[in-house]
Amino acid sequence: MSISPTAFPSAVRRLDFPKPAKSAFSGLLTNRLLSSLPGTEFAELLPYMEPATFRTGEYLCEQGQEMPYVYFPETVVISQLCYLGDGSSTGVAIIGKDGLLGLSSILQNTPAQHWAMATIGGSALRIRADQVRREFAQAGPVQRAILNYAHARLQQVSQRAVCNSRHRLEERLCTWLLMIQDRTSASHLPLTHEAISQHLGTRRAGVTNFCNVLRDNGVIAYHRA
């Protein structure tokens, strides 16, 4: 889904979150952060987990909104986006099965600083943020896992800031595609040139030109729609 700069942000419906009932998760766990937890700590969170599914282009939260849930992606890939005053956007971070969405809710209990959108639609597990904060406050494995992920995220964002200022568009495009693929483990990525340009903060024509170069050199293959 793409949003016209003239329509943003009124085109995005404000999100409402129903209060979930406690129900045990019984699916295949692929989120690396959750799977790294010892059995005892995972068992503490298990009754509070519930599955959630998001379509490509669907927003999980908007900037300035309180996040009542923490999301642990399974197959969904989430991008955090910053929208500027002129309606343009650029990607801040990419979140997949390597981590979680909702660090600010855990560490500071503050509103979201960016928009979060499902770049690749799929499934996630969500847990009430207050429940995760209680486990975090125990200063045990849950806290260590989240802090380790927060450290990795900080390094990633710092590295991308350097790359965005020093690297050419074709290099940033390749890096972004690889980061998306790492978080999906899929060879087929349902992306459009418009969506890619939105995340890279550049013109669609530039993305199309370099995608053509990659295709002509046998690096990628793509087709319309």
Side-chain angles (χ1 to χ4, degrees):
M1 179 179 73
S2 60
I3 298 178
S4 169
T6 58
F8 180 84
S10 61
V12 182
R13 178 179 60 84
R14 193 161 189 89
L15 306 178
D16 297 318
F17 299 92
K19 184 177 180 181
K22 291 170 59 176
S23 59
F25 168 69
S26 59
L28 177 63
L29 185 68
T30 61
N31 184 275
R32 295 171 187 165
L33 194 154
L34 288 177
S35 62
S36 71
L37 296 175
T40 303
E41 280 68 26
F42 181 78
E44 289 291 327
L45 292 174
L46 184 59
Y48 301 94
M49 293 182 187
E50 59 180 15
T53 304
F54 301 96
R55 301 181 304 275
T56 297
E58 184 176 356
Y59 284 86
L60 284 75
C61 72
E62 59 185 74
Q63 183 180 359
Q65 184 181 31
E66 298 289 343
M67 288 193 63
Y69 295 101
V70 174
Y71 295 91
F72 296 87
E74 290 279 286
T75 60
V76 67
V77 179
I78 303 166
S79 293
Q80 289 182 300
L81 298 167
C82 178
Y83 285 91
L84 306 180
D86 61 359
S88 62
S89 65
T90 189
V92 177
I94 303 172
I95 305 165
K97 60 185 179 182
D98 57 318
L100 62 86
L101 174 68
L103 276 174
S104 60
S105 295
I106 299 172
L107 301 178
Q108 299 179 355
N109 194 22
T110 58
Q113 299 300 305
H114 304 99
W115 295 75
M117 184 179 72
T119 301
I120 303 291
S123 61
L125 297 172
R126 69 178 190 178
I127 308 176
R128 293 287 303 187
D130 52 4
Q131 180 62 33
V132 180
R133 284 195 295 269
R134 281 193 289 270
E135 292 296 328
F136 184 86
Q138 299 300 314
V142 171
Q143 184 186 92
R144 289 194 295 272
I146 292 174
L147 289 179
N148 286 339
Y149 173 68
H151 176 67
R153 274 282 302 279
L154 181 60
Q155 288 184 313
Q156 178 194 119
V157 171
S158 299
Q159 182 65 44
R160 291 194 70 195
V162 175
C163 293
N164 288 342
S165 64
R166 304 296 294 179
H167 292 168
R168 301 187 303 272
L169 174 58
E170 59 265 39
E171 295 171 320
R172 294 192 289 120
L173 170 61
C174 291
T175 298
W176 187 82
L177 288 174
L178 287 171
M179 292 179 69
I180 294 292
Q181 188 179 37
D182 283 345
R183 287 155 180 78
T184 65
S185 299
S187 59
H188 179 76
L189 306 178
L191 301 167
T192 64
H193 292 180
E194 182 69 27
I196 296 173
S197 65
Q198 180 184 15
H199 289 80
L200 294 181
T202 189
R203 295 173 59 247
R204 174 180 174 177
V207 170
T208 299
N209 288 339
F210 288 121
C211 281
N212 288 337
V213 172
L214 293 175
R215 181 182 61 182
D216 293 343
N217 284 276
V219 179
I220 65 172
Y222 71 85
H223 56 81
R224 293 181 61 84

